[in-house]
Amino acid sequence: MAFAGLSIGAMLAGTADAQSSVTLYGIVDTGVTYTNNQQGHSTWEATSGNESGPRWGLMGTEDLGGGLKTTFRLENGFSIDNGKFGQGGRMFGRQAYVGLSSDRLGTVTLGRQYNSVQDILGNLQISGTLTGYSAHPHDNDDINNTFRTNNAAKYVSPTFAGLQANLVYGFSNAPGFSSNNSWSAGLTYANGPFSLGAAYARMNNPASSAVGAVASDNYYGSESMFGTPLGSATRQQIWGAGGTYALGSALFGLLYTGSRFDVPAASSLRFDNYEGSVVYYVTPFVVLAIAQVYTHVTQGPLSGHFNQTSTGAKYLLSKRTDLYVNVLYQKASSSIGQAWIESVSAPSSTTSQVAVVAGIRHKF
């Protein structure tokens, strides 16, 4: 149960009053995943964070008067199956920031944060409703939060006529401005049943140091395409646009994202992801969802594609607890050679892979 209390505020700050609040919140999520082919073998696994990454956090505000507030958030990610910290073992690896918020001028925050693509396009992608397994292949657009931005200054504007701007700059913490820095920008528009968004992000020399905007222990690992490791990029760019439309009990979504990895001594690697989705609220307690994603990949004369279908059902036992089941199927072209659904431990030995994920999630 989320709560705000003077006792927590007193522990953290030494003093508390009616104009300050601190909230403790979190999510615990775990289940079982079946995969028909991981390197030639079917697999049953206990899996943590299928629908939402397990977390606990503290967030708070202090009213400074005149419409100005101090705001902060400290958010830890962990595995419920073994209790270990996530995000490379960071105590507050999901988010850690402090800043000022103004009713008239917007919000500025400093710390480890999400970039504009994650903030804006992540809310439009089906993995926001279904499991993270439904993210685009290799999470090439980082919407499934393969990495976050360190040393980041973020500005989010007030909403004017449905429009809101989002700007983020991540410092390299090194001499010069071109080594392991990052910037992103985006815009959202909401009007009645429509919700639209567009965003762009650029990372220069990501993972070239442990202290930069995209730390070397928080970037792509063994993922590769056409023999090129994604983690070897000297520059990555991500862009996209999409929207949702609510019609009765259904929510229809369309999303396009692209990403480009510039790598040494080779042609750039490019992904284009096209997604359509439908979420249908059968009752206030039963939710069904389906999405189809087509991903086209090119590198010089090489090209290939993925097709992925993601389906899921959710039953709400209460406002905070739900049961879920998701079924995913991915087919890769022969030029790519192996299917590999995001979050599955290992690729298939063939061009197809099926995953079934079931579990329980509780929010507090």
Side-chain angles (χ1 to χ4, degrees):
M1 177 179 68
F3 65 92
L6 300 181
S7 59
I8 293 181
M11 286 189 295
L12 293 176
T15 62
D17 56 45
Q19 295 178 321
S20 300
S21 67
V22 176
T23 300
L24 171 67
Y25 67 93
I27 299 175
V28 283
D29 178 347
T30 191
V32 175
T33 298
Y34 165 79
T35 312
N36 75 321
N37 187 322
Q38 288 191 36
Q39 298 179 332
H41 303 281
S42 61
T43 308
W44 290 89
E45 300 172 272
T47 48
S48 172
N50 300 314
E51 293 259 334
S52 303
R55 71 199 71 173
W56 70 270
L58 296 168
M59 61 182 181
T61 61
E62 181 187 11
D63 191 345
L64 303 175
L68 186 65
K69 296 180 179 179
T70 305
T71 183
F72 82 91
R73 185 187 295 263
L74 299 172
E75 188 173 276
N76 168 266
F78 61 93
S79 168
I80 193 172
D81 290 335
N82 56 31
K84 292 183 178 179
F85 286 163
Q87 295 79 49
R90 291 169 170 81
M91 177 174 288
F92 297 113
R94 292 186 61 88
Q95 298 182 82
Y97 62 77
V98 65
L100 294 173
S101 177
S102 165
D103 296 338
R104 293 187 305 107
L105 302 177
T107 301
V108 175
T109 50
L110 304 173
R112 178 175 169 86
Q113 303 178 74
Y114 296 108
N115 64 33
S116 303
V117 167
Q118 294 163 321
D119 277 344
I120 294 172
L121 302 184
N123 290 327
L124 302 174
Q125 208 248 357
I126 194 62
S127 65
T129 300
L130 291 176
T131 173
Y133 290 71
S134 61
H136 300 153
H138 298 300
D139 192 29
N140 64 85
D141 49 17
D142 195 34
I143 290 178
N144 201 35
N145 306 321
T146 292
F147 62 90
R148 291 165 173 81
T149 305
N150 290 337
N151 318 321
K154 175 186 288 190
Y155 170 71
V156 178
S157 76
T159 300
F160 298 103
L163 290 169
Q164 186 176 56
N166 182 305
L167 303 169
V168 181
Y169 182 79
F171 291 86
S172 66
N173 279 12
F177 288 92
S178 62
S179 179
N180 204 349
N181 68 349
S182 172
W183 67 270
S184 59
L187 191 67
T188 60
Y189 174 73
N191 184 5
F194 287 99
S195 180
L196 306 173
Y200 172 85
R202 173 168 170 162
M203 285 60 66
N204 297 308
N205 298 110
S208 57
S209 73
V211 298
V214 181
S216 53
D217 66 343
N218 187 209
Y219 197 55
Y220 294 93
S222 61
E223 299 92 337
S224 65
M225 188 59 55
F226 303 129
T228 298
L230 274 60
S232 67
T234 56
R235 181 174 64 182
Q236 183 185 1
Q237 299 177 77
I238 308 169
W239 59 90
T244 60
Y245 178 72
L247 180 63
S249 298
L251 182 69
F252 298 89
L254 290 174
L255 177 65
Y256 163 74
T257 65
S259 58
R260 173 172 164 167
F261 297 79
D262 295 333
V263 295
S267 299
S268 297
L269 180 64
R270 173 167 172 161
F271 294 79
D272 292 282
N273 309 286
Y274 305 87
E275 177 183 303
S277 63
V278 180
V279 179
Y280 184 69
Y281 294 81
V282 180
T283 73
F285 307 101
V286 178
V287 184
L288 304 178
I290 185 168
Q292 184 67 38
V293 175
Y294 173 78
T295 299
H296 187 236
V297 191
T298 57
Q299 186 178 34
L302 303 175
S303 66
H305 63 266
F306 296 90
N307 276 293
Q308 180 165 306
T309 303
S310 304
T311 63
K314 198 185 320 288
Y315 180 72
L316 280 66
L317 298 173
S318 70
K319 290 182 179 180
R320 295 192 175 98
T321 303
D322 59 80
L323 304 174
Y324 58 82
V325 60
N326 297 277
V327 180
L328 306 101
Y329 170 75
Q330 185 185 101
K331 178 69 174 178
S333 65
S334 58
S335 56
I336 288 177
Q338 290 181 312
W340 194 354
I341 295 171
E342 174 68 10
S343 298
V344 169
S345 301
S348 172
S349 62
T350 70
T351 58
S352 65
Q353 191 172 58
V354 175
V356 181
V357 187
I360 182 171
R361 176 177 59 177
H362 176 73
K363 304 173 183 178
F364 63 89

mmCIF file of all heavy atoms in Angstrom, residues 28 59 75 90-91 95 101 125-126 136 157 200 215 224 226 236 247 257 287 294 335 348 354-355:
data_model
loop_
_atom_site.group_PDB
_atom_site.id
_atom_site.type_symbol
_atom_site.label_atom_id
_atom_site.label_comp_id
_atom_site.label_asym_id
_atom_site.label_seq_id
_atom_site.Cartn_x
_atom_site.Cartn_y
_atom_site.Cartn_z
ATOM 1 N N VAL A 28 5.925 -5.946 -6.864
ATOM 2 C CA VAL A 28 6.542 -7.276 -6.844
ATOM 3 C C VAL A 28 5.827 -8.114 -7.893
ATOM 4 O O VAL A 28 4.599 -8.147 -7.945
ATOM 5 C CB VAL A 28 6.471 -7.929 -5.451
ATOM 6 C CG1 VAL A 28 7.505 -7.319 -4.527
ATOM 7 C CG2 VAL A 28 5.086 -7.790 -4.830
ATOM 8 N N MET A 59 9.393 8.610 -3.103
ATOM 9 C CA MET A 59 9.267 9.861 -3.831
ATOM 10 C C MET A 59 8.609 10.882 -2.913
ATOM 11 O O MET A 59 7.808 10.531 -2.038
ATOM 12 C CB MET A 59 8.460 9.687 -5.115
ATOM 13 C CG MET A 59 7.046 9.213 -4.937
ATOM 14 S SD MET A 59 6.242 9.013 -6.566
ATOM 15 C CE MET A 59 4.600 8.475 -6.025
ATOM 16 N N GLU A 75 14.581 5.070 -6.661
ATOM 17 C CA GLU A 75 13.871 3.843 -7.028
ATOM 18 C C GLU A 75 14.845 2.697 -7.268
ATOM 19 O O GLU A 75 15.709 2.781 -8.139
ATOM 20 C CB GLU A 75 13.020 4.088 -8.276
ATOM 21 C CG GLU A 75 12.097 2.926 -8.614
ATOM 22 C CD GLU A 75 11.148 3.269 -9.748
ATOM 23 O OE1 GLU A 75 10.094 3.887 -9.473
ATOM 24 O OE2 GLU A 75 11.467 2.939 -10.908
ATOM 25 N N ARG A 90 23.111 -1.632 -8.988
ATOM 26 C CA ARG A 90 22.939 -0.309 -8.402
ATOM 27 C C ARG A 90 21.844 -0.329 -7.333
ATOM 28 O O ARG A 90 20.817 -0.962 -7.522
ATOM 29 C CB ARG A 90 22.577 0.708 -9.475
ATOM 30 C CG ARG A 90 23.717 1.006 -10.444
ATOM 31 C CD ARG A 90 23.214 1.802 -11.639
ATOM 32 N NE ARG A 90 24.293 2.308 -12.458
ATOM 33 C CZ ARG A 90 24.944 1.596 -13.366
ATOM 34 N NH1 ARG A 90 24.604 0.330 -13.576
ATOM 35 N NH2 ARG A 90 25.926 2.123 -14.072
ATOM 36 N N MET A 91 22.056 0.418 -6.252
ATOM 37 C CA MET A 91 21.041 0.483 -5.215
ATOM 38 C C MET A 91 19.785 1.186 -5.726
ATOM 39 O O MET A 91 18.662 0.739 -5.473
ATOM 40 C CB MET A 91 21.571 1.216 -3.978
ATOM 41 C CG MET A 91 20.518 1.379 -2.879
ATOM 42 S SD MET A 91 21.171 2.094 -1.355
ATOM 43 C CE MET A 91 22.128 0.706 -0.732
ATOM 44 N N GLN A 95 15.798 4.736 -10.983
ATOM 45 C CA GLN A 95 15.752 6.195 -11.047
ATOM 46 C C GLN A 95 16.355 6.765 -9.767
ATOM 47 O O GLN A 95 16.223 6.178 -8.695
ATOM 48 C CB GLN A 95 14.315 6.707 -11.193
ATOM 49 C CG GLN A 95 13.593 6.281 -12.452
ATOM 50 C CD GLN A 95 12.198 6.878 -12.531
ATOM 51 O OE1 GLN A 95 12.025 8.026 -12.938
ATOM 52 N NE2 GLN A 95 11.197 6.105 -12.136
ATOM 53 N N SER A 101 9.890 21.884 -9.274
ATOM 54 C CA SER A 101 8.708 21.824 -10.126
ATOM 55 C C SER A 101 7.879 23.087 -9.922
ATOM 56 O O SER A 101 7.616 23.489 -8.781
ATOM 57 C CB SER A 101 7.866 20.591 -9.784
ATOM 58 O OG SER A 101 6.685 20.569 -10.553
ATOM 59 N N GLN A 125 3.937 1.847 -26.477
ATOM 60 C CA GLN A 125 4.300 0.503 -26.923
ATOM 61 C C GLN A 125 3.527 -0.541 -26.127
ATOM 62 O O GLN A 125 3.215 -0.330 -24.959
ATOM 63 C CB GLN A 125 5.812 0.300 -26.748
ATOM 64 C CG GLN A 125 6.399 -0.683 -27.724
ATOM 65 C CD GLN A 125 6.869 -1.958 -27.058
ATOM 66 O OE1 GLN A 125 6.806 -2.093 -25.856
ATOM 67 N NE2 GLN A 125 7.322 -2.902 -27.859
ATOM 68 N N ILE A 126 3.229 -1.684 -26.750
ATOM 69 C CA ILE A 126 2.372 -2.689 -26.123
ATOM 70 C C ILE A 126 3.006 -3.290 -24.879
ATOM 71 O O ILE A 126 2.300 -3.790 -24.002
ATOM 72 C CB ILE A 126 1.989 -3.808 -27.125
ATOM 73 C CG1 ILE A 126 0.831 -4.655 -26.581
ATOM 74 C CG2 ILE A 126 3.214 -4.649 -27.466
ATOM 75 C CD1 ILE A 126 -0.445 -3.906 -26.345
ATOM 76 N N HIS A 136 10.423 -4.808 -28.673
ATOM 77 C CA HIS A 136 10.962 -5.015 -30.012
ATOM 78 C C HIS A 136 12.277 -5.795 -29.950
ATOM 79 O O HIS A 136 12.990 -5.720 -28.942
ATOM 80 C CB HIS A 136 11.158 -3.665 -30.698
ATOM 81 C CG HIS A 136 9.872 -2.895 -30.822
ATOM 82 N ND1 HIS A 136 9.818 -1.531 -30.890
ATOM 83 C CD2 HIS A 136 8.574 -3.313 -30.858
ATOM 84 C CE1 HIS A 136 8.555 -1.128 -30.990
ATOM 85 N NE2 HIS A 136 7.782 -2.203 -30.962
ATOM 86 N N SER A 157 7.962 20.374 -19.671
ATOM 87 C CA SER A 157 7.197 21.616 -19.660
ATOM 88 C C SER A 157 5.811 21.408 -19.067
ATOM 89 O O SER A 157 5.327 20.272 -18.966
ATOM 90 C CB SER A 157 7.054 22.147 -21.086
ATOM 91 O OG SER A 157 6.082 21.385 -21.804
ATOM 92 N N TYR A 200 13.120 11.702 -30.048
ATOM 93 C CA TYR A 200 14.423 11.379 -30.648
ATOM 94 C C TYR A 200 15.448 11.330 -29.523
ATOM 95 O O TYR A 200 15.396 12.138 -28.574
ATOM 96 C CB TYR A 200 14.817 12.447 -31.666
ATOM 97 C CG TYR A 200 16.229 12.305 -32.196
ATOM 98 C CD1 TYR A 200 16.507 11.461 -33.271
ATOM 99 C CD2 TYR A 200 17.284 13.011 -31.616
ATOM 100 C CE1 TYR A 200 17.806 11.325 -33.757
ATOM 101 C CE2 TYR A 200 18.586 12.884 -32.096
ATOM 102 C CZ TYR A 200 18.843 12.045 -33.165
ATOM 103 O OH TYR A 200 20.123 11.904 -33.648
ATOM 104 N N ALA A 215 26.570 4.278 -19.050
ATOM 105 C CA ALA A 215 27.704 3.604 -18.421
ATOM 106 C C ALA A 215 28.027 2.278 -19.092
ATOM 107 O O ALA A 215 27.157 1.598 -19.645
ATOM 108 C CB ALA A 215 27.422 3.380 -16.939
ATOM 109 N N SER A 224 23.722 -9.240 -30.774
ATOM 110 C CA SER A 224 24.420 -8.905 -32.015
ATOM 111 C C SER A 224 23.495 -9.147 -33.198
ATOM 112 O O SER A 224 22.489 -9.860 -33.084
ATOM 113 C CB SER A 224 25.699 -9.729 -32.170
ATOM 114 O OG SER A 224 25.383 -11.103 -32.323
ATOM 115 N N PHE A 226 23.941 -9.763 -37.561
ATOM 116 C CA PHE A 226 24.855 -9.973 -38.684
ATOM 117 C C PHE A 226 26.305 -10.007 -38.189
ATOM 118 O O PHE A 226 27.224 -9.529 -38.859
ATOM 119 C CB PHE A 226 24.683 -8.895 -39.757
ATOM 120 C CG PHE A 226 23.290 -8.779 -40.303
ATOM 121 C CD1 PHE A 226 22.653 -7.555 -40.353
ATOM 122 C CD2 PHE A 226 22.620 -9.907 -40.767
ATOM 123 C CE1 PHE A 226 21.366 -7.443 -40.862
ATOM 124 C CE2 PHE A 226 21.324 -9.801 -41.277
ATOM 125 C CZ PHE A 226 20.707 -8.569 -41.314
ATOM 126 N N GLN A 236 24.665 5.849 -31.178
ATOM 127 C CA GLN A 236 23.347 5.267 -31.376
ATOM 128 C C GLN A 236 22.315 6.381 -31.458
ATOM 129 O O GLN A 236 22.353 7.344 -30.682
ATOM 130 C CB GLN A 236 22.967 4.311 -30.245
ATOM 131 C CG GLN A 236 21.615 3.629 -30.459
ATOM 132 C CD GLN A 236 21.164 2.780 -29.297
ATOM 133 O OE1 GLN A 236 21.841 2.686 -28.276
ATOM 134 N NE2 GLN A 236 20.014 2.135 -29.439
ATOM 135 N N LEU A 247 -11.682 3.874 -27.936
ATOM 136 C CA LEU A 247 -13.015 3.765 -28.519
ATOM 137 C C LEU A 247 -13.816 2.771 -27.688
ATOM 138 O O LEU A 247 -13.593 1.564 -27.758
ATOM 139 C CB LEU A 247 -12.936 3.307 -29.969
ATOM 140 C CG LEU A 247 -14.275 3.159 -30.712
ATOM 141 C CD1 LEU A 247 -14.984 4.502 -30.808
ATOM 142 C CD2 LEU A 247 -14.043 2.574 -32.109
ATOM 143 N N THR A 257 9.156 2.953 -34.556
ATOM 144 C CA THR A 257 10.433 3.383 -33.997
ATOM 145 C C THR A 257 11.559 2.935 -34.918
ATOM 146 O O THR A 257 11.466 1.904 -35.593
ATOM 147 C CB THR A 257 10.695 2.810 -32.589
ATOM 148 O OG1 THR A 257 10.822 1.392 -32.662
ATOM 149 C CG2 THR A 257 9.580 3.190 -31.624
ATOM 150 N N VAL A 287 -8.784 -7.975 -18.840
ATOM 151 C CA VAL A 287 -8.183 -7.205 -19.914
ATOM 152 C C VAL A 287 -7.507 -8.165 -20.893
ATOM 153 O O VAL A 287 -6.739 -9.043 -20.484
ATOM 154 C CB VAL A 287 -7.137 -6.203 -19.381
ATOM 155 C CG1 VAL A 287 -6.597 -5.344 -20.516
ATOM 156 C CG2 VAL A 287 -7.728 -5.337 -18.283
ATOM 157 N N TYR A 294 6.467 -5.858 -36.831
ATOM 158 C CA TYR A 294 7.357 -6.218 -37.938
ATOM 159 C C TYR A 294 8.612 -5.372 -37.804
ATOM 160 O O TYR A 294 8.534 -4.138 -37.709
ATOM 161 C CB TYR A 294 6.691 -5.952 -39.287
ATOM 162 C CG TYR A 294 7.642 -6.154 -40.463
ATOM 163 C CD1 TYR A 294 7.943 -7.436 -40.918
ATOM 164 C CD2 TYR A 294 8.240 -5.060 -41.088
ATOM 165 C CE1 TYR A 294 8.814 -7.626 -41.984
ATOM 166 C CE2 TYR A 294 9.115 -5.249 -42.153
ATOM 167 C CZ TYR A 294 9.395 -6.525 -42.595
ATOM 168 O OH TYR A 294 10.269 -6.718 -43.648
ATOM 169 N N SER A 335 17.950 -15.007 -43.240
ATOM 170 C CA SER A 335 19.184 -14.215 -43.257
ATOM 171 C C SER A 335 19.617 -13.827 -41.844
ATOM 172 O O SER A 335 20.804 -13.595 -41.597
ATOM 173 C CB SER A 335 18.984 -12.951 -44.099
ATOM 174 O OG SER A 335 17.890 -12.194 -43.616
ATOM 175 N N SER A 348 16.720 -19.093 -29.911
ATOM 176 C CA SER A 348 16.329 -20.384 -30.463
ATOM 177 C C SER A 348 17.436 -20.912 -31.370
ATOM 178 O O SER A 348 18.264 -20.150 -31.875
ATOM 179 C CB SER A 348 15.033 -20.214 -31.264
ATOM 180 O OG SER A 348 14.721 -21.388 -31.966
ATOM 181 N N VAL A 354 8.787 -19.667 -29.346
ATOM 182 C CA VAL A 354 7.521 -19.459 -28.648
ATOM 183 C C VAL A 354 7.810 -19.341 -27.159
ATOM 184 O O VAL A 354 8.604 -20.103 -26.601
ATOM 185 C CB VAL A 354 6.536 -20.620 -28.904
ATOM 186 C CG1 VAL A 354 5.267 -20.436 -28.062
ATOM 187 C CG2 VAL A 354 6.193 -20.718 -30.382
ATOM 188 N N ALA A 355 7.167 -18.380 -26.509
ATOM 189 C CA ALA A 355 7.290 -18.237 -25.060
ATOM 190 C C ALA A 355 5.901 -18.067 -24.456
ATOM 191 O O ALA A 355 5.047 -17.373 -25.019
ATOM 192 C CB ALA A 355 8.158 -17.042 -24.696
#
